[in-house]
Each structure stands twice: as C-alpha cells, then as structure tokens.
Amino acid sequence: MLGPPGAGKGTQAERFAKARDIPRISTGDILRDAVHAKTDIGLRAKAIMDRGELVGDDVMIGIVNERLGRNDAVNGFVLDGFPRTVAQASALDGIMSKRDPLIVVDIVVPEDELVRRLGTRSICRLCGTGASVGSTVGAACAKCGGPLVQRADDNQAIVIERLKVYHRQSEPLVEYYRIRPTFRSIDGAQSPDRVAADLAAAIEAAGRGAVGVRG
Ligand code: AMP
C-alpha cells in the first residue's frame, strides 16, 4: 500500500487485512515495537524516526524478508509502510519472485489534508493502536483503555520533514509501479468507508490484471 504519511494506509490496511484474514505488516509498528523493547534495531532506529527520516534500506529489507517468510503470510498479507524507497521496492520484487504478483495501491490525498490529519491523530501509549483522526489526546484507547497521546513524529516540524522525505524518497515509487497491470490509484480524501470500498474494488480489479503475471 503506497501513500504519504496521513493518507490512511494504517486504517485501511488494518480493515482490509481483517476482512481477508491475512496479516497487516506495518514496518512503522515493527520499528515502534523494537524501540519500545529497546532492541538493537530499536535503539538505532529511534533517533532516525524522531527526526522523521528513513531507517536504512538494508535494515528494513532484512525485517520485511524475515516477516514475509513466516507461516501466517503464506496466503497473502498487506504491507503498510514498505517499500518506501526504490531500493526497497527492488528488493521486494526479489523476495516476491516466486510468489503471486504484488498488487500495489496508491492512496492519494492532498497535502493540506495530510497536514491537518497528522496534526490531529493520536496513538495509544500502552498498546500502540492508532486512534482515528480527530480523537482527543488524553482520551482512553478503545482496545486497552490506555491513554491516547500524539505520536512523537506527528509534531508539526517533524510532519513537514516526513512529507519532504516522502516526496523525495517514496513518491518515485509511484513511477516505479505505475506501468504494472497490478497498479491502482484511489482517492483517499473520502470517508474511511468509501476509501475501504474503493480499495477493495481496486484490489479486485488489480487481481484480475494480475492473471498470468508473475513478480
Ligand atoms: P510509519 O508508521 O509508517 O509512518 O513509520 C514511522 C517511521 O518509521 C518513519 O517515519 C520512518 O522513520 C520509519 N519507517 C517505517 N517504515 C520504513 C521503511 N520502509 N523504510 C524506512 N523507514 C521506515
């Protein structure tokens, strides 16, 4: 799933993965868990994430390669937040070479709407569940009752940096994938229900486009 920060990738990936009973694999969540657990990767990633920059390709490709090899991903998965660079996309093509073709959906949202959303979203400090845009910081998490806080990298200065990083390093992925019959683009500036419906339809159509294609 492609799209800038705040496009709704997490929300939509979660919904779609649940509906299809496949795992949602969010590299941002994996890194935040590693930071929380103070693992080697977590300790190295924290400062990079706090600046709104990208963690190195080798580390990210290693994480995803390992995760996609687990049993729960054999029948499919939703990747949220990966790839974010052309080098990651090219490595992913290698990882996927003997599997069904990737379906790539780009969620498009205007920049001013992204800034608004990122400034008003929150996350549970205890379990890390993302709350819907506009939910009050300080309210209780619907899943575990923990306090909702602003994500450290959602403060305004970092948001601007993350959007710059997106345009510079991740937007070229749209060109990388656009020529494939399994690429679709959807309007993410609609209600979550409409985006979910468009996403399901796009994946269905892209799946038909995938017949006979590998990689
Ligand atoms: P996200 O939750 O997807 O917005 O990711 C939060 C942060 O984790 C990003 O701003 C990056 O610092 C880091 N990150 C997540 N996924 C990747 C990736 N595929 N490549 C590099 N850094 C990543």
Side-chain angles (χ1 to χ4, degrees):
M1 203 170 281
L2 301 184
K9 299 188 297 295
T11 305
Q12 295 297 335
E14 179 87 37
R15 273 176 84 143
F16 187 81
K18 214 172 250 170
R20 298 290 175 105
D21 199 22
I22 52 176
R24 164 193 169 220
I25 300 175
S26 153
T27 46
D29 280 358
I30 292 173
L31 290 171
R32 278 183 290 275
D33 285 348
V35 169
H36 204 69
K38 298 193 163 61
T39 65
D40 266 3
I41 286 179
L43 291 173
R44 277 183 284 142
K46 183 172 185 327
I48 300 171
M49 293 168 77
D50 284 349
R51 289 197 301 270
E53 295 168 9
L54 295 185
V55 175
D57 286 332
D58 289 351
V59 171
M60 297 313 302
I61 291 163
I63 288 175
V64 168
N65 190 25
E66 186 275 330
R67 182 64 189 84
L68 294 186
R70 290 201 214 156
N71 280 343
D72 66 343
V74 288
N75 292 323
F77 49 83
V78 183
L79 260 182
D80 161 17
F82 186 97
R84 259 179 158 97
T85 64
V86 170
Q88 291 178 12
S90 158
L92 183 59
D93 282 339
I95 295 169
M96 296 295 294
S97 62
K98 293 198 171 59
R99 302 179 66 151
D100 286 342
L102 274 177
I103 291 174
V104 183
V105 181
D106 183 33
I107 307 186
V108 180
V109 176
E111 188 103 349
D112 52 350
E113 172 67 5
L114 295 173
V115 173
R116 191 193 67 77
R117 288 184 185 181
L118 292 167
T120 57
R121 73 177 180 180
S122 55
I123 190 169
C124 174
R125 198 170 62 208
L126 296 187
C127 74
T129 298
S132 58
V133 170
S135 53
T136 331
V137 166
C141 167
K143 213 181 218 174
C144 79
L148 297 181
V149 294
Q150 189 179 48
R151 248 174 68 169
D153 57 356
D154 276 348
N155 85 54
Q156 210 179 10
I158 305 299
V159 161
I160 290 166
E161 179 58 25
R162 287 166 67 208
L163 289 171
K164 270 194 209 153
V165 166
Y166 168 77
H167 289 305
R168 194 168 56 233
Q169 292 179 271
S170 305
E171 210 168 23
L173 289 176
V174 176
E175 292 317 308
Y176 182 88
Y177 286 122
R178 195 188 290 283
I179 50 166
R180 299 189 185 185
T182 52
F183 175 86
R184 291 289 182 286
S185 176
I186 61 170
D187 175 8
Q190 317 176 80
S191 71
D193 285 349
R194 285 234 43 112
V195 178
D198 285 2
L199 178 70
I203 290 174
E204 210 56 53
R208 287 195 296 273
V211 176
V213 182
R214 231 174 216 295

